[in-house]
Amino acid sequence: MATFLYRTGRFAFRRRHFVVLIWVALLALAGVGAANAPAAGSSSFSVPGTESQKAFDLLDERFPGAGADGATARVVFKAPAGEKLTEPAGKKAVRKAVAELRQGAEVASVDDPYTAGAVSKDRTIAYARVAYDVPGMELRDSSREALETAAEHARDSGLTVEIGGDALQTAPETGATEVIGIAVAAVVLVITFGSLVSAGLPLVTALIGVGIGVSSITALASTLDLGSTTSILAMMIGLAVGIDYALFIVSRFRAELAEGRRGEEAAGRAVGTAGSAVVFAGLTVVIALVGLSVVDIPMLTKMGVAAAGTVVIAVLIALTLVPALIGFAGKRVRPANAGGLFRRRGGDARHHGHRVPRAERPNMGTRWARFVIRRPVAVLLVGVAALGAVAVPAGSIELGLGDDGTQPVSTTQRRAYDLLSEGFGPGFNGPLVVVTDVKGTDDPRGAVREVTEELKGLDDVAAVTPATFDKAGDTAIITVVPASKPSSGETEELVGAIRAAGGGITDRTGAEVSVTGTTALNIDTSQKLTDAMLPYLALVVGLAFLLLIVVFRSVLVPLKAALGFLLSVMAALGAVVAVFQWGWLGSLLGVEQTGPIMSMMPIFLVGVVFGLAMDYEVFLVTRIREAHVHGERPGQAIVTGFRHSARVVTAAAVIMIAVFAGFIGSHEAMIKSIGFGLATAVFFDAFVVRMAIVPAVLALLGRRAWWLPSWLDRILPNVDVEGEGLRPAGAADEVEAPGPAAEPEPARA
């Protein structure tokens, strides 16, 4: 592989005009496709195989045209203090608002609170349900404005009016802090390279890759039913890995220049060595993201595949566009002081009376590696104990899907949610829809009456509405209002009790009883994700373990990498729970409302973090193995690896943390929590696991770290990540004495 990538790098450097033209054309093509693509609607959410999904599908079949997918709004009215909504003034104001709501162009129906029984017992709170013909994400702005205008007119009459439901739902937007994240990345790159040109290359190439990836997703969003969250997550991951992959190629190129090689040869060797690490690091990320398909939730699968596609683009750009742009940059790739790689300004130091070039002085990576080698047990224990302590809150994680109750208290959706809880009870915001299929039973209505009576006798039931039959009379809908809030354990137990009671009714009458609705779907989704966690981990970690055995030709190093990842991800989950569920430091991060962690968060975090963790493992340990293969002792190989890659890995981690942290400014709870979780996980993995625990374990293992059974060594392919096969590839005339004459010379295009 190293030889193939070496030739690829030289070709891209030599034919840089052609390579750049291709990538610019792809960017333009993707941009045109995105601009001309039809507007994407809301992504359908389904959880195949669950009872709630089967019941929802049955409703869609038996109640056609009921607008199950249409947007809904609950306009909640509260009378002024000391007044009732049943008094003439209050009733007039409410009915005037209802009449105004019915004028909306996309409105299917509006319920009158006084005829629909939607007035609280104390007659101070009422609500009007507004149903629309289209999903919330497809509502025109004029429809949302009409809804808000009607509410405002009702407020003018003295009523308190708030709006809940998904009619006000809009595409998630990210905050301006994304720009700050990219700015931080730029500053880190300038400090790392000491050259504006070198710093700009990773940013430019990453933005091109993200532009192609996100534009392609936008172009295909309507066709493939991709939600707006998909492009945001793809941008988040693509930007982070795009900068990092380009960073490693540019860093290795400058290292080759420092050894006296000319531009084209240095580009070839950079792609042949660091490029090999990029390929395998990218493969681990792709495996982790595509592996999300084992969960069998279509939306999660699409998000993973789309993000994986952006990672693939980032890898291809690092292998081709980066060396091409290096060819255009020429000697400007070197730092302003024209020193060696990462050489600081200033004169040389003296050592025992002799002048020592700064490039030969121990850098921070060297000093840190030597410190760890001297105290491996202490470093290992402190690192594991610290991550273990941070991971403790993960044991109390509560999962769920967000509703209006998790919105900030400043939003009208949250205030409407609270008013409904005040007037109708905490369970009113999470009703359970009990679907009874009586097709083929001897007494359909008798079976439904039996179901209704059974439901009324269950614990934690506040109300049971009369059954509503379809036109054929073979399916009935019964709404059960729990006495507890939707996200409570009591409501979850009630769902289980209804399903258990339904089994007995089926045995007696033949009627099939199932539970659906948002609350039941949340419960089923959380359970499905929990059940899928172990198979997902087994698949992803297993495949990556085999891949790393091939890369490192070792059994213990991949095992260490997997265990280190588990420490990182558990600590990250603990931090997420502490902030978003317990509220620790929530005010500093803009978390206005705590609550259950998004059901998809743990498994998505596991997938992405595993891929990114393996990035740093590959980049760092590859350099250590390269030194070991070239004959250095285990301890010295660790020092050599850290001398060449610790600063670059640190810079890459800071950049990735900055990019992910930029998404914490999003107003979308899922995006905010994922951005925080990924930034935290990268911090733990890069600075605690890879920089401390990894060298400590390698120091303790010594030569045993690279042990591989002889029979396995014979059957494994030799991918030559270390670039050993490139040694005869560099001709003598490609190497010059270090100094000004070794500046990269642009080759003829």
Side-chain angles (χ1 to χ4, degrees):
M1 172 177 286
T3 303
F4 170 76
L5 293 177
Y6 166 80
R7 292 170 179 167
T8 301
R10 294 195 62 160
F11 174 83
F13 185 95
R14 188 170 57 252
R15 303 297 183 189
R16 50 190 173 277
H17 294 91
F18 175 70
V19 172
V20 170
L21 181 62
I22 289 178
W23 282 111
V24 171
L26 289 175
L27 178 62
L29 183 63
V32 170
N36 295 314
S42 57
S43 177
S44 58
F45 182 81
S46 62
V47 189
T50 61
E51 179 178 314
S52 54
Q53 185 63 47
K54 292 176 182 177
F56 183 85
D57 294 340
L58 181 64
L59 285 177
D60 197 39
E61 174 189 343
R62 302 285 175 87
F63 289 83
D69 292 332
T72 59
R74 278 177 171 175
V75 182
V76 188
F77 307 92
K78 183 176 182 180
E83 299 182 18
K84 307 290 185 183
L85 289 179
T86 51
E87 295 173 356
K91 185 177 291 188
K92 179 180 179 181
V94 170
R95 284 189 163 157
K96 182 179 179 182
V98 169
E100 186 175 353
L101 289 169
R102 286 174 177 160
Q103 303 303 313
E106 296 175 301
V107 172
S109 63
V110 180
D111 296 337
D112 187 324
Y114 301 101
T115 58
V119 181
S120 64
K121 291 181 180 179
D122 62 3
R123 294 170 293 177
T124 61
I125 297 176
Y127 70 91
R129 182 180 181 275
V130 184
Y132 292 88
D133 294 322
V134 296
M137 295 291 290
E138 298 179 17
L139 272 180
R140 293 197 295 265
D141 290 340
S142 58
S143 296
R144 294 192 181 93
E145 291 171 2
L147 177 63
E148 293 171 341
T149 300
E152 191 60 39
H153 289 166
R155 292 188 188 104
D156 293 340
S157 64
L159 301 179
T160 298
V161 185
E162 305 295 346
I163 305 172
D166 62 351
L168 295 182
Q169 180 183 7
T170 57
E173 297 179 358
T174 51
T177 48
E178 292 172 21
V179 179
I180 299 177
I182 296 176
V184 171
V187 171
V188 172
L189 288 169
V190 171
I191 295 174
T192 302
F193 287 133
S195 164
L196 290 175
V197 174
S198 296
L201 283 177
L203 285 175
V204 170
T205 55
L207 290 174
I208 291 174
V210 168
I212 294 173
V214 173
S215 296
S216 299
I217 291 171
T218 304
L220 299 173
S222 179
T223 304
L224 301 181
D225 189 27
L226 303 176
S228 54
T229 305
T230 303
S231 60
I232 294 178
L233 294 174
M235 178 173 62
M236 181 191 302
I237 296 170
L239 191 61
V241 299
I243 294 175
D244 277 9
Y245 293 166
L247 168 64
F248 281 98
I249 297 292
V250 175
S251 299
R252 189 58 184 255
F253 172 77
R254 286 157 53 100
E256 296 296 333
L257 289 181
E259 293 183 9
R261 292 187 175 87
R262 292 181 178 177
E264 184 177 333
E265 176 65 13
R269 286 181 173 271
V271 176
T273 52
S276 297
V278 166
V279 169
F280 284 102
L283 276 176
T284 59
V285 180
V286 170
I287 288 173
L289 291 171
V290 174
L292 291 170
S293 59
V294 303
V295 183
D296 194 26
I297 295 180
M299 188 179 81
L300 192 60
T301 299
K302 293 171 184 177
M303 288 166 57
V305 172
T310 308
V311 173
V312 171
I313 293 172
V315 171
L316 294 176
I317 282 181
L319 300 178
T320 57
L321 184 58
V322 170
L325 293 181
I326 285 174
F328 283 111
K331 64 180 66 177
R332 291 187 296 274
V333 173
R334 276 187 177 274
N337 61 349
L341 184 64
F342 303 137
R343 186 181 298 174
R344 294 172 182 157
R345 294 183 181 274
D348 296 334
R350 290 189 177 273
H351 181 65
H352 298 299
H354 300 285
R355 193 171 294 276
V356 180
R358 285 191 180 274
E360 298 176 12
R361 295 179 62 195
N363 59 18
M364 186 173 292
T366 301
R367 293 193 294 271
W368 172 251
R370 289 173 178 170
F371 170 82
V372 174
I373 290 173
R374 288 195 301 268
R375 300 171 180 82
V377 175
V379 171
L380 179 61
L381 291 178
V382 170
V384 172
L387 292 180
V390 178
V392 168
S396 304
I397 191 171
E398 298 176 7
L399 301 178
L401 293 179
D403 57 14
D404 286 347
T406 61
Q407 296 275 1
V409 293
S410 59
T411 62
T412 185
Q413 294 96 322
R414 172 59 189 276
R415 292 195 294 267
Y417 181 97
D418 292 340
L419 284 176
L420 290 172
S421 296
E422 176 188 340
F424 301 93
F428 187 80
N429 284 293
L432 304 174
V433 180
V434 180
V435 182
T436 307
D437 184 0
V438 292
K439 190 175 185 178
T441 60
D442 297 332
D443 183 10
R445 294 192 175 270
V448 171
R449 282 195 298 271
E450 183 174 345
V451 172
T452 303
E453 293 303 316
E454 187 86 17
L455 294 174
K456 290 179 179 179
L458 296 177
D459 294 335
D460 204 52
V461 172
V464 178
T465 65
T468 301
F469 283 85
D470 64 342
K471 291 182 179 179
D474 56 11
T475 307
I477 299 175
I478 305 171
T479 301
V480 177
V481 179
S484 303
K485 63 181 182 179
S487 59
S488 66
E490 292 81 1
T491 300
E492 185 173 350
E493 292 175 2
L494 175 59
V495 171
I498 294 174
R499 288 170 174 169
I505 293 173
T506 300
D507 295 337
R508 294 193 300 271
T509 67
E512 296 183 4
V513 179
S514 53
V515 186
T516 188
T518 301
T519 301
L521 186 63
N522 290 354
I523 294 170
D524 289 348
T525 301
S526 298
Q527 187 60 49
K528 188 179 180 80
L529 289 166
T530 301
D531 294 341
M533 182 65 80
L534 285 180
Y536 174 70
L537 276 175
L539 172 67
V540 173
V541 176
L543 289 176
F545 182 80
L546 295 176
L547 182 66
L548 293 179
I549 288 179
V550 174
V551 174
F552 296 128
R553 307 195 74 79
S554 164
V555 174
L556 297 180
V557 170
L559 180 62
K560 165 195 61 62
L563 294 177
F565 149 74
L566 291 176
L567 284 173
S568 300
V569 77
M570 290 305 297
L573 279 176
V576 169
V577 170
V579 172
F580 291 90
Q581 185 175 310
W582 294 358
W584 293 5
L585 302 177
S587 59
L588 296 178
L589 299 173
V591 180
E592 298 183 34
Q593 179 63 35
T594 60
I597 305 302
M598 190 74 61
S599 297
M600 294 183 184
M601 176 67 178
I603 199 163
F604 189 83
L605 186 67
V606 165
V608 177
V609 171
F610 180 79
L612 299 180
M614 294 306 103
D615 275 5
Y616 299 117
E617 179 75 14
V618 171
F619 290 134
L620 183 62
V621 180
T622 297
R623 225 31 216 270
I624 296 174
R625 173 167 172 77
E626 182 177 342
H628 175 73
V629 168
H630 292 163
E632 295 187 8
R633 297 188 310 276
Q636 184 57 40
I638 295 173
V639 174
T640 300
F642 268 70
R643 182 173 69 248
H644 288 296
S645 47
R647 184 169 180 175
V648 181
V649 168
T650 300
V654 172
I655 289 170
M656 195 170 284
I657 291 169
V659 171
F660 288 146
F663 288 84
I664 298 176
S666 172
H667 300 295
E668 182 74 13
M670 182 177 180
I671 300 298
K672 180 187 288 288
S673 61
I674 287 179
F676 173 80
L678 291 178
T680 305
V682 170
F683 174 81
F684 290 145
D685 194 83
F687 294 107
V688 181
V689 174
R690 308 305 154 188
M691 287 294 177
I693 294 178
V694 165
V697 172
L698 290 178
L700 291 172
L701 291 175
R703 295 187 183 278
R704 289 169 295 179
W706 310 108
W707 172 76
L708 185 69
S710 56
W711 62 269
L712 186 57
D713 185 50
R714 287 192 298 269
I715 64 175
L716 287 179
N718 183 12
V719 295
D720 189 21
V721 177
E722 302 82 18
E724 187 70 15
L726 299 183
R727 287 197 164 192
D733 62 350
E734 292 289 355
V735 181
E736 296 182 351
E743 301 290 356
E745 297 176 6
R748 291 188 298 272

